[in-house]
Amino acid sequence: MSKLVGDKKFMERTLISDAPRMIGQYVKLAGWVNSRRDHGKLIFIDLRDRTGVVQIVVIPDKESAYQNAKDIRSEFVVEIEGLVKERPGGLEKDAKTGKIELEAAKITVISKVEAELPFDVAKSELDANLNTLLDNRNLVLRNKKINDIFKVYAEMIKSYGDVMRENSFLEIKTPKILSAATEGGANFFKIKYFDRDAYLAQSPQFYKQAGVGAFERVFEIGTVFRAEPHFTTRHVNEYTGLDAEMGFIDSFSDVMDALEKVMQRMLLDISKNCQAELSEYAAGELLFSDKFPRLRLTEALEILDKEYGKKSEDVDIDPEGERLICEWAKKNHNSDFVFLTHYPVSVRPFYSMPSVDGQYTETFDLLFRGVEIASGGQRIHDYEQLRSSIVKHGLKPEDFEHYLDIFKLGMPAHGGWGLGSERIVQKILALGSIKEAILFPRDVKRITP
Ligand code: AMO
C-alpha cells in the first residue's frame, strides 16, 4: 500500500494486527522494539505497536537492514519494511508474536533510546516495588499488563458516559477553581488566584445540584482534589469522580436503584469488552445481582459485633469494618457490592436530607470488594431547612450565599452520588494500590512525574 504525497510515493504503515492477513505482501510496520536477539547470523526483533507484537527476522543478505539492526536496542522506535511470511510452526511456536513474521528489507531508526533502561518492559511482570514503578512511570506504562489497566479504565469511563446518557442525564463540566471550600471541610487545597485566595474543588457537589435546577439530571466525569494527608492504598490527592445528580426523586432509594444499574452496566461492559485484559489479572469472577444488598449502618455495626466480634467505639464504620461487611455480603448474598444506608447526621455533610427521626440521614455508601466506592443520598431542597442545617453543622450561611441562591429559585426533591473511578478499577483488577489505576498519581509525597 502506498500513497502519493506531493510528487513522492510513500508506503503506508500497516498495523501489526493487520499483518497476518497480508502473507506474501511487502509492508511497512512501525513501532517500538520489545527486544533484539542475535542467533548465529540472524537477528530477531520483536516489534510492538498499539495492536500487538510481531517477530522480525533480519538476514545478512539484506545488507543495509542488517547493519541498522545491529545497533537497535529495546524501546528504539523504528520503521521496518519487508515481506510478510508464514512462520514455520505457526501459532504454537510462539503465541505472543503470532503465526507470521516479517523478513526485513529496510530498517529506519526513527528515535533512539539515550538512557540505560531500568526495566525490560517486554517482560510479562515487572519485578519492582510500587515507588520504583511510579518513579519510572513513562517507561513502565509501556508494559503490556500495566498498559492494559488503562484499557479497562477507558472502557469503564466510556460505559459510565453511555449508561448515563441513555438514562437522559446531561453531561456537564463544573469549575474546579472555587472562591470557597466546597463542603466546608478542611480537605481543600488553597491556591493563589491573582490577588486573592481560591480553592481547588474537592467535589462538584454544589454545581451538580445547580445542574438539577437547570437540567433535572446531570452527570460529570471530573477531577477532584483532596488535601488529605493519607498514606493508604485507597487515597490519592487528585482523582477522577464519576458524579451524578437527579431531580424529582421520591426517596433516596431511587438514587440507589439508579446507581445499581450504572454499576451493573459498567461491569457488564468491562466483562464483555475487556476479556483479554481481565484474564491477565487474577481478580476472580465479579459477583453481582439485580439488587445489591442494602443494610442500615446500625445493622452493619451489629453484624460486625455479633459475627466478627468487632465492637465499634464510633457511630460510623471504619475501613476494617467495611472490609468485613463486604466479606459478609459475599458469604450471605453472593455479592461483591453492599449498600450501607442511614448514616448519622453528625457524620454526613450539611446538605444531606435528614430522616424523619432527625438522627439519621437519607444517605448511603456503596461498598465494593472491601472498600467504599461511592457516597450519595437525598439532599435538602428547602431553602430554610438548608440554611438551618448549615448553622447546625457549625458553618456560616454567608459563606454559602451562591449555593443557597439555588434553593430560592425552585428546586425539586433530588439526590445523587459521587463515585471514585480509580477505586472501581483497583477493585475489579485486585490491584494492591489505587495508584496503580492512575496514569500519574498524586499523593502526599508525589507530584512527579
Ligand atoms: P465522598 O467524599 O465520599 O463524597 O467522595 C465520593 C467518592 O470519591 C472517592 N474518593 C476518593 N478516591 C481516591 N482518593 C481519595 N482521597 C478519595 N476521596 C473520596 C470514593 C468516595 O466514595 N459530594 C459527595 C458525593 C455525593 O454525595 O454525591 C462526596 O464527595 O470512592
Side-chain angles (χ1 to χ4, degrees):
M1 284 191 294
S2 55
K3 67 178 169 191
L4 214 56
V5 178
D7 54 1
K8 275 203 170 128
K9 226 175 178 192
F10 283 92
M11 180 154 217
E12 273 183 53
R13 178 188 181 199
T14 295
L15 289 171
I16 289 172
S17 60
D18 290 332
R21 281 183 269 117
M22 302 178 81
I23 291 171
Q25 293 183 47
Y26 188 90
V27 302
K28 178 167 88 179
L29 304 178
W32 288 264
V33 172
N34 247 3
S35 65
R36 190 198 88 200
R37 301 176 304 278
D38 299 353
H39 277 300
K41 286 222 162 342
L42 299 179
I43 298 174
F44 292 96
I45 294 166
D46 281 353
L47 186 73
R48 173 182 90 238
D49 72 10
R50 66 178 192 273
T51 67
V53 179
V54 71
Q55 176 168 284
I56 314 284
V57 199
V58 199
I59 55 174
D61 292 5
K62 307 279 182 206
E63 211 172 306
S64 93
Y66 195 74
Q67 283 313 319
N68 285 347
K70 277 186 179 167
D71 297 330
I72 281 175
R73 291 165 44 205
S74 291
E75 299 310 311
F76 271 36
V77 176
V78 294
E79 277 180 1
I80 304 182
E81 291 176 26
L83 198 62
V84 182
K85 291 185 153 182
E86 195 158 3
R87 254 174 100 172
L91 241 184
E92 300 82 87
K93 190 124 206 215
D94 184 349
K96 218 163 87 182
T97 48
K99 65 182 171 74
I100 55 141
E101 62 187 15
L102 188 86
E103 192 182 279
K106 184 178 169 195
I107 296 182
T108 312
V109 173
I110 306 290
S111 170
K112 291 183 179 180
V113 172
E114 303 296 345
E116 212 36 63
L117 296 177
F119 304 103
D120 175 6
V121 287
K123 275 180 152 177
S124 53
E125 298 276 345
L126 296 183
D127 184 22
N129 70 35
L130 182 59
N131 255 329
T132 310
L133 293 174
L134 295 179
D135 285 344
N136 295 281
R137 203 64 170 153
N138 288 310
L139 179 64
V140 163
L141 288 171
R142 296 181 180 186
N143 172 260
K144 172 144 183 15
K145 190 170 172 186
I146 290 176
N147 196 281
D148 281 346
I149 295 172
F150 298 94
K151 303 215 172 127
V152 174
Y153 188 90
E155 178 66 27
M156 178 190 65
I157 296 292
K158 176 179 182 292
S159 178
Y160 186 73
D162 287 349
V163 66
M164 296 309 286
R165 275 183 285 272
E166 283 164 24
N167 286 285
S168 61
F169 284 77
L170 184 80
E171 181 163 18
I172 57 168
K173 297 292 174 194
T174 65
K176 302 305 163 204
I177 299 175
L178 308 180
S179 66
T182 322
E183 301 187 21
N187 58 350
F188 48 82
F189 288 108
K190 200 176 193 178
I191 57 162
K192 266 238 96 28
Y193 190 73
F194 302 108
D195 57 353
R196 58 187 164 142
D197 291 332
Y199 303 89
L200 294 180
Q202 47 89 282
S203 156
Q205 186 63 37
F206 296 175
Y207 292 96
K208 64 178 179 168
Q209 287 186 260
V212 168
F215 309 108
E216 277 192 35
R217 292 181 161 205
V218 292
F219 77 100
E220 176 169 21
I221 299 173
T223 306
V224 176
F225 301 95
R226 296 276 168 114
E228 294 158 343
H230 290 310
F231 291 93
T232 74
T233 55
R234 64 185 189 288
H235 287 98
V236 278
N237 299 100
E238 181 184 52
Y239 71 91
T240 299
L242 309 180
D243 275 82
E245 204 67 24
M246 57 200 276
F248 299 97
I249 57 170
D250 291 325
S251 83
F252 79 120
S253 297
D254 294 348
V255 181
M256 287 190 281
D257 292 347
L259 178 54
E260 216 162 52
K261 290 209 177 72
V262 168
M263 289 313 306
Q264 286 161 1
R265 171 64 178 276
M266 291 202 289
L267 295 195
L268 285 174
D269 282 347
I270 290 170
S271 309
K272 199 169 78 199
N273 300 325
C274 300
Q275 280 175 12
E277 290 79 9
L278 290 174
S279 70
E280 288 179 293
Y281 288 85
E285 193 194 341
L286 292 160
L287 303 172
F288 57 96
S289 55
D290 260 8
K291 281 270 159 222
F292 301 165
R294 295 176 187 186
L295 287 179
R296 289 183 73 101
L297 176 65
T298 46
E299 289 175 86
L301 295 175
E302 269 167 38
I303 291 171
L304 290 177
D305 180 7
K306 286 206 187 101
E307 301 201 17
Y308 298 91
K310 184 176 163 52
K311 298 243 177 287
S312 180
E313 322 265 280
D314 202 354
V315 288
D316 204 351
I317 187 168
D318 63 8
E320 169 71 359
E322 291 181 341
R323 197 181 62 69
L324 292 171
I325 276 298
C326 283
E327 228 177 86
W328 176 89
K330 190 168 176 176
K331 198 169 95 194
N332 293 277
H333 295 273
N334 199 33
S335 175
D336 278 335
F337 292 95
V338 54
F339 276 114
L340 300 187
T341 66
H342 299 95
Y343 283 72
V345 170
S346 60
V347 303
R348 289 308 246 209
F350 67 82
Y351 53 77
S352 310
M353 180 66 92
S355 303
V356 277
D357 57 30
Q359 201 188 339
Y360 296 99
T361 54
E362 303 289 280
T363 63
F364 63 82
D365 273 7
L366 178 61
L367 314 186
F368 174 52
R369 293 189 162 180
V371 296
E372 172 205 318
I373 56 163
S375 277
Q378 181 169 355
R379 329 296 188 182
I380 298 174
H381 61 275
D382 177 78
Y383 174 79
E384 289 302 337
Q385 190 185 1
L386 187 57
R387 206 171 183 286
S388 88
S389 180
I390 290 175
V391 176
K392 275 190 216 146
H393 277 78
L395 302 163
K396 292 193 219 114
E398 309 84 87
D399 292 344
F400 299 93
E401 197 192 329
H402 295 291
Y403 174 57
L404 277 167
D405 276 351
I406 305 169
F407 302 89
K408 290 183 191 162
L409 297 171
M411 273 294 273
H414 66 282
W417 64 74
L419 263 169
S421 64
E422 298 87 350
R423 287 188 185 179
I424 304 173
V425 169
Q426 178 193 1
K427 289 292 146 185
I428 289 175
L429 298 178
L431 305 175
S433 167
I434 186 173
K435 291 173 205 169
E436 295 175 61
I438 302 177
L439 271 187
F440 294 99
R442 265 69 184 115
D443 65 20
V444 178
K445 292 260 167 89
R446 179 180 295 282
I447 45 173
T448 55

